[in-house]
Amino acid sequence: PSDIVSDKNHIYSERGIYNTVSEQAELLDRSVLTNEGKKLVGDSLFYDRKLGYGEAFDNVQMNDTVNKNMLTGDYCFYNELTGNAIATRRAVAIDYSQGDSLFMHGDTLRLVTYNLNTDSTYREMRVYHKVRAYRTDVQAVCDSLVYNSKDSCMTMYTDPVLWHGAQQLLGEEIKVYMNDSTIDWAHIINQALASCGCTVPKYTKAPVAPGQKGQIEVTYKSDGTWPGHFKKSITVRTNGTVEMTRLYIEGVMTEVKK
């Protein structure tokens, strides 16, 4: 076996090639690349020290012991200069920074790092297509998902379904805020449905925390085509104590002068 040590990197390999001029390595037999608390392992590895990236193939595991997250799959790309990574083919992301580990699976996983090498570093785990997420107290399915380590928020898009104990939550978009090993709160606005196409609702897309307020703006558009009295309804569904509320707008439309 060989150990190749440089400024911040350590390569352990029992079979492979390292070019000292180009500083590129092709490694086999479950070689290990370590960089400042991040460990990349795979059946085969390629590493370019000058460009600062590594690729791993088959039975891959990339573990970040500093930020306490892990990527697994059959292909992984990691850029040590930006802190960004991609995993595909049986890809699974694991966040073990809190009391309970959160597992996320999808066709493609993308780890994006912000404010690298600062005190305000945080990461987004973006999971695309056929997403499954699991933790002891929460399970979820959706088409795409973003987990932000800054506020421990998991946002699910496109036909999301969330199970928490005996509860099942559905919506167009679901945001789950986690606090250590428990769910702090979840925000869902399933939809704002109007009774006809002439009534157009707009509503707050950002999460509305308990005790705070959101806003629904409704516009009645008839362009004077149907003058006189009108009364239209808008149905609002949320995950609040009252799950469904019906709002009404009423007024008098003036006839268009020709």
Side-chain angles (χ1 to χ4, degrees):
S2 299
D3 287 280
I4 304 171
V5 180
S6 58
D7 297 338
K8 300 178 181 179
N9 304 313
H10 176 212
I11 297 174
Y12 171 84
S13 181
E14 297 184 0
R15 185 160 69 101
I17 300 172
Y18 181 77
N19 189 318
T20 57
V21 177
S22 64
E23 297 189 80
Q24 293 180 338
E26 296 183 25
L27 312 168
L28 305 173
D29 296 348
R30 303 296 294 171
S31 298
V32 181
L33 170 63
T34 305
N35 171 260
E36 295 186 313
K38 302 173 185 65
K39 181 182 291 186
L40 183 62
V41 184
D43 288 354
S44 59
L45 298 178
F46 174 82
Y47 176 62
D48 190 314
R49 182 172 178 270
K50 289 183 177 179
L51 296 180
Y53 76 89
E55 290 181 285
F57 304 88
D58 300 320
N59 302 307
V60 178
Q61 183 182 98
M62 191 189 81
N63 190 13
D64 185 344
T65 58
V66 176
N67 298 288
K68 298 184 179 181
N69 52 58
M70 182 187 301
L71 290 178
T72 67
D74 279 335
Y75 173 77
C76 185
F77 173 93
Y78 175 67
N79 188 320
E80 63 189 22
L81 302 181
T82 62
N84 298 341
I86 296 174
T88 61
R89 292 156 46 192
R90 298 192 302 139
V92 176
I94 306 168
D95 181 274
Y96 56 94
S97 62
Q98 301 192 43
D100 191 9
S101 297
L102 173 65
F103 294 79
M104 294 166 281
H105 164 73
D107 290 345
T108 303
L109 306 180
R110 184 183 296 271
L111 178 67
V112 182
T113 302
Y114 296 92
N115 306 324
L116 186 64
N117 300 324
T118 69
D119 293 335
S120 56
T121 299
Y122 68 95
R123 288 166 173 79
E124 279 188 355
M125 178 61 67
R126 302 173 183 176
V127 190
Y128 301 100
H129 309 311
K130 301 177 183 177
V131 176
R132 304 289 184 270
Y134 173 83
R135 208 173 74 166
T136 302
D137 60 334
V138 61
Q139 301 82 45
V141 297
C142 57
D143 178 70
S144 55
L145 177 152
V146 176
Y147 177 75
N148 191 321
S149 66
K150 186 176 184 179
D151 53 9
S152 298
C153 176
M154 182 172 70
T155 305
M156 295 173 285
Y157 302 94
T158 311
D159 301 324
V161 183
L162 177 74
W163 293 271
H164 174 53
Q167 294 182 319
Q168 176 176 296
L169 306 177
L170 301 91
E172 295 176 358
E173 179 180 317
I174 300 177
K175 291 180 180 287
V176 180
Y177 290 84
M178 300 180 180
N179 182 10
D180 196 20
S181 59
T182 61
I183 291 181
D184 193 3
W185 59 282
H187 171 76
I188 306 164
I189 291 185
N190 289 352
Q191 50 195 230
L193 296 176
S195 56
C196 74
C198 59
T199 311
V200 183
K202 295 181 181 179
Y203 54 89
T204 304
K205 295 298 197 299
V208 181
Q212 296 184 351
K213 296 181 180 180
Q215 181 174 317
I216 296 177
E217 178 183 319
V218 181
T219 303
Y220 178 63
K221 294 183 176 181
S222 78
D223 300 323
T225 306
W226 300 286
H229 177 265
F230 67 87
K231 184 176 181 180
K232 299 296 179 180
S233 66
I234 302 94
T235 302
V236 180
R237 294 189 176 95
T238 76
N239 67 321
T241 304
V242 180
E243 295 183 357
M244 186 176 75
T245 303
R246 181 158 292 172
L247 306 176
Y248 294 91
I249 59 170
E250 189 171 4
V252 177
M253 177 63 65
T254 305
E255 185 176 2
V256 175
K257 295 182 180 180
K258 298 181 180 179

